[in-house]
Amino acid sequence: MKKRLLNIIILFFALFAVSSFADEIKYEMNFTKETACEIRKIKLYENPVWASKIDLKDGRSLFFCSPKSMFEFYYNEEKWETFGIKSTSDFKNILVTDYKTLKIIDATKAFFVYGSNKISPAGDDLVAFESKDNATNYAQNNNGKRVFNFLEVKNSLIRLLNGRI
């Protein structure tokens, strides 16, 4: 009985330790001076606060000069053919830079401000934040019109930002 109880306690602490480390995943942008956006061919090092990237499961990384450019690629399956991408299941990570903290974050968990007075190298864009509170505060202070999560950012919004609607 004591051995079983001890095993349960050890298992509980092991699960607690694993869950606390899971929240601390560190992502890297790891671009060089030569790294250019796959959409606009703009060098990322010139405006790192806007940098975004998609890591593929085969080990390759695709870099973008802004969240808008990353979404533009994400929604354009014709561009995927160049890289041998068949579906979103080929994507390992989708990353953006938090505008406030400059931390590299998971784009699928990020919040994006639409309509602010900040312009990226790609023009009108979406400003990315890890926290909804930071996104909301930023929107209020910078004429932001709306805060979206990843799934709410639709291709029609990206087309609107690019003046294609």
Side-chain angles (χ1 to χ4, degrees):
M1 180 70 173
K2 286 183 182 181
K3 190 173 184 179
R4 187 172 187 183
L5 181 60
L6 181 61
N7 285 339
I8 291 172
I9 291 171
I10 290 171
L11 179 63
F12 172 76
F13 282 111
L15 289 173
F16 177 76
V18 168
S19 69
S20 66
F21 286 122
D23 292 340
E24 293 299 320
I25 295 174
K26 300 289 184 206
Y27 297 109
E28 294 180 354
M29 202 53 76
N30 62 3
F31 55 82
T32 67
K33 276 192 158 190
E34 288 76 39
T35 306
C37 174
E38 295 294 345
I39 300 294
R40 293 180 169 74
K41 307 305 179 205
I42 296 170
K43 301 287 186 184
L44 270 68
Y45 82 93
E46 295 173 352
N47 293 285
V49 70
W50 295 98
S52 302
K53 127 175 139 163
I54 296 176
D55 289 327
L56 302 176
K57 287 185 177 175
D58 67 7
R60 293 178 294 159
S61 295
L62 309 175
F63 292 91
F64 305 94
C65 63
S66 71
K68 176 180 77 172
S69 295
M70 180 272 301
F71 277 111
E72 192 173 344
F73 180 86
Y74 181 83
Y75 284 119
N76 189 344
E77 293 180 25
E78 293 167 5
K79 290 194 181 283
W80 295 5
E81 291 176 19
T82 306
F83 300 96
I85 299 169
K86 305 269 189 261
S87 71
T88 55
S89 65
D90 292 332
F91 298 163
K92 179 180 177 185
N93 295 313
I94 303 174
L95 306 173
V96 292
T97 305
D98 181 295
Y99 194 81
K100 181 177 180 178
T101 67
L102 301 182
K103 179 180 171 185
I104 308 308
I105 59 174
D106 182 344
T108 64
K109 297 177 182 172
F111 297 91
F112 300 90
V113 176
Y114 161 73
S116 78
N117 56 13
K118 300 291 182 188
I119 297 176
S120 80
D124 289 337
D125 217 307
L126 301 170
V127 186
F129 294 91
E130 184 173 32
S131 129
K132 187 169 187 176
D133 287 342
N134 284 347
T136 302
N137 289 338
Y138 176 87
Q140 291 171 348
N141 294 323
N142 293 279
N143 294 330
K145 306 296 182 249
R146 188 163 168 203
V147 175
F148 293 96
N149 66 37
F150 184 85
L151 294 175
E152 293 172 324
V153 177
K154 303 296 183 197
N155 191 28
S156 56
L157 177 61
I158 301 307
R159 291 173 50 79
L160 176 69
L161 287 167
N162 282 328
R164 295 186 183 146
I165 290 185

